[in-house]
Amino acid sequence: MAKVLCFGELLLRLATNRSEFIQDQGRLTSNFGGSEVNVAVGLSHLGNGTQFLTALPTDDIGKAARQFLVSHQVSLTQVKSAEGRVGIYFVEMGAGNRASNIIYDRKYSSFAQVSVSKEELSKALDGQDAVFISGITPALSDNLYQTTILLVQLAKKRGITVIYDNNYREKLWSNKQIAFDKLKKLLPMIDVLSVGILDIRAIFQDDSISDLEDAYRRLLSKYPNLKMLFSTNRETISAEEYRLQGSVYTQGKLYQSPKQAIYQVVDRIGTGDSYASGVIHGLLKGETPQNIVDFATANAILKHTVYGDVAIFTESQVKAYMASLPGVINR
């Protein structure tokens, strides 16, 4: 069983019913989530040991958040108690041709204000095979950006695999150039990177980049430390229908899953995190690149069938789904 430390913020999600707006004053459904915790939960259900390095308040919402983590077998060992509140994000669920809309309310959260010492970070890394971070955390404050750098540096010194999902969120950054300048400082220390064609265009400030395989080769020529790159390509038909293909690039070769149609989507939020957890799971198990991309894509597709942020599928459930697909090899 692999052990993975995930560093980030747990959020309270408040979502409208499909087709409703916040101003309609309808009922909001509550769940917990957030990119890094979604990955932690996904990895846990796939059979890995996960710890979540974060900060939560000690009020009733903080207690409920801890209970949520425990219910998904995510360790609380590295959860710090801190003043503040649980950050919130609102979801206006899309319908038909209208996409969903995210509204953040996360200023002054416990995590946004937390300070984690070098000693605490080092202790959190004890016994870990990998550490997962996303680009959301450095966007929240300069302190968290510096903490991210320190955590990555400590992990590299100890030979722990560093996995980073760029996860660029325009609403969290004051300036896109600042976001990618910070990413460039982290790139030489990252082992595995989730990055798409739009991200690579921003890294090189070149909008002419159009071929994913060429883009990955170009990125690796500048950052040869990167051992694996991964992403998904989503074709949107409507808020309830998509086509999805996963990609993994490693050892000079691009591996892709078959493009699959997704119908009657229940909830697409967290599907990228489900893909990431599938990639990480396969990577740490030593699976072949093609097996990794096929499994991760299947895990992401299954997430579309459940409400909320997190994927709750076991390895056997994902493999059973893969075996049921016509024309797809169950490797």
Side-chain angles (χ1 to χ4, degrees):
M1 178 177 69
K3 295 184 178 180
V4 184
L5 175 72
C6 299
F7 174 52
E9 182 170 23
L10 182 150
L11 296 169
L12 174 64
R13 164 181 143 161
L14 299 175
T16 67
N17 291 321
R18 192 173 294 280
S19 83
E20 291 183 354
F21 292 93
I22 295 292
Q23 59 262 36
D24 291 336
Q25 300 179 5
R27 184 176 62 183
L28 296 174
T29 303
S30 65
N31 299 89
F32 288 110
S35 180
E36 301 85 359
V37 73
N38 296 345
V39 171
V41 169
L43 285 168
S44 175
H45 281 275
L46 291 172
N48 302 278
T50 56
Q51 294 193 59
F52 193 48
L53 176 57
T54 194
L56 290 169
T58 56
D59 61 17
D60 287 346
I61 304 299
K63 291 176 183 176
R66 289 175 173 82
Q67 187 175 26
F68 166 82
L69 293 172
V70 170
S71 71
H72 291 289
Q73 292 80 52
V74 177
S75 172
L76 300 182
T77 305
Q78 303 305 325
V79 176
K80 297 188 65 173
S81 296
E83 296 296 323
R85 64 187 183 94
V86 172
I88 301 171
Y89 83 96
F90 296 87
V91 185
E92 291 179 328
M93 299 294 287
N97 292 336
R98 177 172 60 81
S100 297
N101 181 44
I102 303 295
I103 303 165
Y104 291 109
D105 177 23
R106 58 201 302 174
K107 286 185 178 180
Y108 311 115
S109 69
S110 299
F111 182 74
Q113 302 175 89
V114 74
S115 178
V116 187
S117 69
K118 182 177 180 180
E119 291 73 21
E120 288 173 317
L121 292 175
S122 183
K123 183 177 179 180
L125 289 168
D126 286 346
Q128 302 302 306
D129 298 299
V131 58
F132 174 80
I133 313 164
S134 92
I136 291 173
T137 297
L140 300 179
S141 72
D142 185 64
N143 174 57
L144 285 170
Y145 172 58
Q146 297 301 328
T147 303
T148 299
I149 290 177
L150 181 56
L151 178 61
V152 170
Q153 289 173 335
L154 290 171
K156 290 295 291 181
K157 287 181 180 178
R158 296 170 65 166
I160 296 169
T161 299
V162 176
I163 305 166
Y164 193 86
D165 186 341
N166 187 45
N167 239 338
Y168 174 69
R169 297 288 185 266
E170 184 178 2
K171 291 183 179 181
L172 296 178
W173 292 95
S174 60
N175 183 288
K176 186 174 183 178
Q177 188 61 48
I178 292 173
F180 282 88
D181 284 346
K182 289 188 173 182
L183 172 63
K184 289 176 187 177
K185 292 180 181 178
L186 285 164
L187 279 174
M189 298 181 285
I190 294 169
D191 298 304
V192 179
L193 176 66
S194 173
V195 61
I197 195 86
L198 296 179
D199 298 318
I200 295 175
R201 287 176 185 170
I203 290 169
F204 290 104
Q205 298 183 20
D206 184 354
D207 290 336
S208 69
I209 298 173
S210 59
D211 182 81
L212 183 63
E213 188 167 8
D214 287 343
Y216 280 166
R217 287 195 187 109
R218 183 170 173 179
L219 189 63
L220 281 171
S221 69
K222 188 173 179 63
Y223 302 101
N225 54 287
L226 295 168
K227 298 179 177 66
M228 178 177 285
L229 306 170
F230 65 93
S231 63
T232 58
N233 179 42
R234 178 185 297 273
E235 180 183 344
T236 301
I237 311 302
S238 72
E240 295 86 23
E241 184 178 350
Y242 304 94
R243 291 188 180 92
L244 189 73
Q245 183 177 42
S247 298
V248 164
Y249 189 88
T250 186
Q251 299 174 351
K253 185 177 178 181
L254 180 66
Y255 299 84
Q256 293 185 302
S257 70
K259 186 177 289 187
Q260 297 183 41
I262 308 171
Y263 303 104
Q264 298 178 338
V265 171
V266 174
D267 194 339
R268 69 158 282 187
I269 294 176
T271 55
D273 304 321
S274 299
Y275 181 74
S277 63
V279 170
I280 296 166
H281 175 70
L283 173 69
L284 296 178
K285 279 193 70 178
E287 297 283 356
T288 66
Q290 190 63 55
N291 281 353
I292 290 172
V293 71
D294 287 343
F295 181 89
T297 304
N299 197 45
I301 290 171
L302 285 173
K303 168 59 191 73
H304 290 77
T305 68
V306 295
Y307 189 78
D309 268 37
V310 299
I312 55 173
F313 299 99
T314 64
E315 182 181 89
S316 61
Q317 287 173 323
V318 177
K319 288 184 174 180
Y321 166 72
M322 293 170 69
S324 72
L325 293 174
V328 177
I329 299 172
N330 183 25
R331 294 178 170 89

